Structure formats: C-alpha cells, structure tokens
Coordinates of all heavy atoms in Angstrom, one line a residue:
M1 N 0.8 -1.2 0.0 CA 0.0 0.0 0.0 C 0.8 1.3 0.0 O 0.4 2.3 -0.4 CB -1.0 0.0 1.2 CG -2.0 -1.1 1.1 SD -3.4 -1.0 2.3 CE -4.4 0.3 1.5
I2 N 2.1 1.1 0.4 CA 3.0 2.3 0.3 C 4.2 2.1 -0.7 O 4.9 3.1 -0.9 CB 3.6 2.7 1.7 CG1 4.4 1.5 2.3 CG2 2.4 3.1 2.6 CD1 5.1 1.9 3.6
T3 N 4.4 1.0 -1.2 CA 5.4 0.7 -2.2 C 4.9 0.6 -3.6 O 4.1 -0.3 -3.9 CB 6.2 -0.6 -1.8 OG1 6.7 -0.5 -0.5 CG2 7.3 -0.8 -2.8
P4 N 5.3 1.5 -4.5 CA 4.8 1.4 -5.9 C 5.1 0.1 -6.6 O 6.0 -0.7 -6.1 CB 5.5 2.6 -6.6 CG 5.9 3.5 -5.5 CD 6.2 2.6 -4.3
D5 N 4.4 -0.2 -7.7 CA 4.5 -1.4 -8.4 C 6.0 -1.6 -8.8 O 6.7 -0.7 -9.3 CB 3.8 -1.3 -9.7 CG 2.3 -1.2 -9.5 OD1 1.8 -1.4 -8.4 OD2 1.6 -0.9 -10.5
S6 N 6.5 -2.8 -8.5 CA 7.9 -3.1 -8.6 C 8.1 -4.4 -9.4 O 7.3 -5.4 -9.2 CB 8.6 -3.3 -7.3 OG 8.4 -2.1 -6.5
V7 N 9.0 -4.5 -10.3 CA 9.3 -5.7 -11.1 C 10.7 -6.2 -10.7 O 11.7 -5.5 -10.7 CB 9.3 -5.4 -12.6 CG1 9.7 -6.6 -13.4 CG2 8.0 -4.8 -13.0
Y8 N 10.7 -7.5 -10.3 CA 12.0 -8.1 -9.8 C 12.3 -9.3 -10.7 O 11.4 -9.9 -11.3 CB 11.8 -8.6 -8.4 CG 11.8 -7.6 -7.3 CD1 10.7 -7.0 -6.8 CD2 13.0 -7.2 -6.7 CE1 10.7 -6.0 -5.8 CE2 13.1 -6.3 -5.6 CZ 11.9 -5.7 -5.2 OH 11.9 -4.8 -4.2
D9 N 13.6 -9.6 -10.8 CA 14.0 -10.9 -11.2 C 14.5 -11.6 -10.0 O 15.3 -11.0 -9.1 CB 15.1 -10.8 -12.2 CG 14.6 -10.9 -13.7 OD1 13.4 -11.1 -13.8 OD2 15.4 -10.7 -14.6
Y10 N 14.2 -12.9 -9.8 CA 14.7 -13.7 -8.7 C 15.6 -14.8 -9.3 O 15.1 -15.6 -10.1 CB 13.5 -14.4 -8.0 CG 13.9 -15.3 -6.8 CD1 14.3 -14.7 -5.6 CD2 13.9 -16.7 -7.0 CE1 14.7 -15.6 -4.6 CE2 14.2 -17.5 -5.9 CZ 14.6 -16.9 -4.7 OH 15.0 -17.8 -3.7
D11 N 16.8 -14.8 -8.9 CA 17.8 -15.8 -9.3 C 17.6 -17.0 -8.4 O 17.8 -17.0 -7.2 CB 19.2 -15.3 -9.1 CG 20.3 -16.2 -9.6 OD1 20.6 -17.2 -8.8 OD2 20.7 -16.1 -10.7
V12 N 17.1 -18.1 -9.1 CA 16.7 -19.3 -8.3 C 17.9 -19.9 -7.7 O 17.9 -20.3 -6.5 CB 16.0 -20.3 -9.3 CG1 15.7 -21.6 -8.6 CG2 14.7 -19.7 -9.9
A13 N 19.0 -20.0 -8.4 CA 20.2 -20.7 -7.8 C 20.8 -19.9 -6.6 O 21.2 -20.4 -5.6 CB 21.3 -20.9 -8.8
G14 N 20.8 -18.6 -6.8 CA 21.4 -17.7 -5.8 C 20.4 -17.2 -4.7 O 20.8 -16.5 -3.8
A15 N 19.1 -17.5 -4.9 CA 18.1 -17.1 -4.0 C 18.2 -15.6 -3.7 O 18.1 -15.1 -2.6 CB 18.2 -17.9 -2.7
A16 N 18.3 -14.8 -4.8 CA 18.5 -13.4 -4.7 C 17.5 -12.6 -5.5 O 17.3 -13.0 -6.7 CB 19.9 -13.0 -5.0
L17 N 17.0 -11.5 -5.0 CA 16.0 -10.7 -5.7 C 16.8 -9.5 -6.3 O 17.7 -8.9 -5.7 CB 15.0 -10.1 -4.8 CG 13.8 -11.0 -4.4 CD1 13.0 -10.4 -3.3 CD2 12.9 -11.3 -5.7
E18 N 16.5 -9.2 -7.6 CA 17.1 -8.0 -8.2 C 16.0 -7.1 -8.7 O 15.1 -7.5 -9.5 CB 17.9 -8.5 -9.4 CG 18.5 -7.3 -10.2 CD 19.2 -7.7 -11.5 OE1 19.1 -8.9 -11.8 OE2 19.7 -6.8 -12.2
L19 N 15.9 -5.9 -8.2 CA 14.9 -4.9 -8.6 C 15.3 -4.4 -10.0 O 16.3 -3.8 -10.2 CB 14.8 -3.7 -7.6 CG 13.8 -2.6 -8.0 CD1 12.4 -3.2 -7.9 CD2 14.0 -1.5 -7.0
L20 N 14.3 -4.6 -11.0 CA 14.5 -4.2 -12.3 C 13.9 -2.8 -12.6 O 14.4 -2.0 -13.4 CB 14.0 -5.2 -13.3 CG 14.5 -6.6 -13.2 CD1 13.9 -7.5 -14.3 CD2 16.1 -6.6 -13.4
K21 N 12.8 -2.6 -12.0 CA 12.0 -1.4 -12.3 C 11.0 -1.1 -11.1 O 10.4 -2.1 -10.7 CB 11.3 -1.5 -13.6 CG 10.4 -0.3 -14.0 CD 9.7 -0.6 -15.3 CE 8.7 0.6 -15.7 NZ 9.4 1.8 -16.2
Q22 N 10.9 0.1 -10.7 CA 9.8 0.5 -9.8 C 9.1 1.6 -10.4 O 9.6 2.5 -11.0 CB 10.4 0.9 -8.4 CG 9.3 1.1 -7.4 CD 9.9 1.3 -6.0 OE1 10.3 2.3 -5.6 NE2 9.9 0.2 -5.2
Q23 N 7.8 1.6 -10.3 CA 6.9 2.6 -10.9 C 7.4 4.0 -10.5 O 7.6 4.3 -9.3 CB 5.5 2.4 -10.4 CG 4.5 3.5 -10.8 CD 3.1 3.2 -10.2 OE1 2.9 2.3 -9.5 NE2 2.2 4.1 -10.6
E24 N 7.6 4.8 -11.5 CA 8.0 6.2 -11.3 C 6.8 7.1 -11.0 O 5.8 7.0 -11.7 CB 8.8 6.7 -12.5 CG 10.1 6.0 -12.7 CD 10.9 6.6 -13.9 OE1 11.0 7.9 -13.9 OE2 11.3 5.8 -14.7
I25 N 6.9 8.1 -10.1 CA 5.9 9.0 -9.9 C 6.5 10.4 -10.1 O 7.1 11.0 -9.2 CB 5.3 8.9 -8.4 CG1 4.8 7.4 -8.3 CG2 4.2 9.9 -8.2 CD1 4.4 7.1 -6.9
P26 N 6.3 11.0 -11.3 CA 7.0 12.2 -11.7 C 6.8 13.4 -10.8 O 7.7 14.2 -10.6 CB 6.5 12.5 -13.1 CG 6.0 11.1 -13.6 CD 5.5 10.4 -12.4
S27 N 5.5 13.5 -10.2 CA 5.2 14.6 -9.4 C 5.8 14.5 -8.0 O 5.8 15.4 -7.2 CB 3.7 14.8 -9.3 OG 3.1 13.7 -8.7

C-alpha cells in the first residue's frame, strides 16, 4: 500500500532478488 509497483528478477540458484524497475511518480 506504500510501495509502488515493482518488477523483480529472482535468481533461483542464488536465492536473490534483483529490482529491475519500480513505478516512477513524476510529481
């Protein structure tokens, strides 16, 4: 509810999340 839409890749072997993009709010 306070974190904008986020797109992650999850590396299965390394069990690590990588943030690829988070919704930008220009204003």
Side-chain angles (χ1 to χ4, degrees):
M1 293 190 80
I2 61 173
T3 300
D5 297 348
S6 306
V7 178
Y8 284 91
D9 266 356
Y10 178 78
D11 184 276
V12 175
L17 281 170
E18 177 189 2
L19 179 64
L20 303 179
K21 179 183 174 74
Q22 188 170 84
Q23 177 183 358
E24 294 181 49
I25 303 174
S27 61

